[in-house]
Amino acid sequence: MPRIQLLNRVLASNDALAEEFRKQFDKEKITAINVMSAPGSGKTALIEKTVAHFKDKLGIFVIEGDIKGDLDAKRVLKAGGKVTQINTDGACHLDAFMLSRVLNKVDYKKLDLLIVENVGNLVCPAEFNLGTHYNVMLLSTPEGVDKPTKYPLMFSKADLLIINKIDLMPYVDFDFKALEKSLKLIRPSLEIIKVSCKTGEGLSDWYRWLTDHIPQTARRKPRNSGKRKAHSG
Ligand code: MG
Ligand code: ZN
């Protein structure tokens, strides 16, 4: 079978499994989010803050995806979260099959919010449906504003863009107007929230977004399930 066809078949079976997860999440009234960004944008920092803020109000479980090690899982644990680590052993994204190996550790009955931290990568995580309801993307100010133009697929799949490290704005070139302009071409309806996970600025906006989106689980349509290019990473 030609490579492209084979890869499309892999994506199709991934989608089928992800749809099964989605059905289970909806049945159990669980909201699931897929957190994606480049390495170092602050995904784990955001999750630490989120867990600490909501842990007494909501049932939360975190799945950490990394190529190697459990550094991030340890951080979430320290923040008071329930967490498990997936090591992809070289793969630069999570897929539904990897998720299926840890979802049996999750007690759905006690769960309101499932947070999946994807592998830090702006390319292929966007191609793999995990059955989650929302793609939450982070972009940190030191990364600059050219990323949507360079990695449009990731930004086109995002439901929310969190601009992190706004405390560094005085020291970096981050032209917010230019960012908005490029996003208009890629995903005009994209919501943006500016935060600093370090100082806490803006985090209340993120908590509000999350609270607003948690009860809507069952009414959401699947995302990430359209036709895509084959994955090669
Ligand atoms: Mg991380
Ligand atoms: Zn990959």
Side-chain angles (χ1 to χ4, degrees):
M1 192 183 289
R3 186 169 157 79
I4 291 286
Q5 263 182 40
L6 184 69
L7 288 165
N8 280 333
R9 187 170 287 190
V10 169
L11 284 173
S13 60
N14 182 85
D15 275 358
L17 185 57
E19 288 309 313
E20 288 304 309
F21 297 161
R22 170 63 77 93
K23 277 182 204 152
Q24 284 177 300
F25 297 154
D26 287 347
K27 192 168 153 248
E28 305 287 350
K29 298 195 167 34
I30 295 162
T31 300
I33 63 170
N34 181 11
V35 182
M36 297 186 283
S37 77
S41 307
K43 293 183 295 304
T44 314
L46 184 78
I47 293 169
E48 285 174 303
K49 295 284 184 191
T50 306
V51 162
H53 183 80
F54 284 107
K55 68 180 174 187
D56 298 328
K57 306 175 189 86
L58 294 173
I60 309 181
F61 194 89
V62 179
I63 296 173
E64 283 292 336
D66 278 296
I67 292 175
K68 244 183 160 43
D70 61 354
L71 291 174
D72 288 356
K74 281 180 176 152
R75 286 172 59 185
V76 173
L77 205 62
K78 211 174 162 194
K82 294 190 180 73
V83 60
T84 191
Q85 178 84 48
I86 298 175
N87 278 147
T88 62
D89 288 320
C92 46
H93 59 269
L94 291 178
D95 65 34
F97 297 96
M98 296 177 199
L99 220 58
S100 72
R101 298 203 292 265
V102 299
L103 277 178
N104 57 6
K105 294 180 187 170
V106 182
D107 185 355
Y108 281 6
K109 295 288 169 215
K110 290 182 182 160
L111 197 61
D112 302 301
L113 174 64
L114 178 70
I115 302 175
V116 181
E117 181 181 339
N118 219 307
V119 179
N121 177 355
L122 280 178
V123 189
C124 45
E127 295 181 40
F128 288 83
N129 185 359
L130 300 178
T132 48
H133 299 90
Y134 301 104
N135 288 332
V136 174
M137 242 206 98
L138 277 83
L139 177 70
S140 65
T141 57
E143 292 170 66
V145 298
D146 59 352
K147 297 300 173 288
T149 310
K150 288 181 167 180
Y151 304 96
L153 179 71
M154 176 67 81
F155 287 84
S156 73
K157 295 261 174 103
D159 296 296
L160 173 69
L161 178 62
I162 294 182
I163 310 290
N164 188 27
K165 307 189 190 180
I166 54 166
D167 52 305
L168 297 180
M169 282 287 249
Y171 314 106
V172 295
D173 289 323
F174 192 83
D175 182 348
F176 191 73
K177 285 259 176 307
L179 177 75
E180 283 184 315
K181 206 172 162 189
S182 62
L183 285 172
K184 276 218 166 66
L185 301 172
I186 295 158
R187 185 139 168 76
S189 62
L190 183 58
E191 278 184 79
I192 299 175
I193 293 175
K194 299 178 195 173
V195 309
S196 165
C197 289
K198 195 169 179 73
T199 67
E201 191 181 349
L203 283 175
S204 57
D205 293 338
W206 155 241
Y207 300 149
R208 199 172 309 122
W209 186 93
L210 205 50
T211 307
D212 286 348
H213 287 74
I214 283 172
Q216 295 174 8
T217 306
R219 293 199 294 273
R220 288 276 305 179
K221 279 237 172 227
R223 287 183 48 79
N224 259 8
S225 53
K227 263 201 152 184
R228 294 149 310 192
K229 276 182 288 176
H231 170 69
S232 53

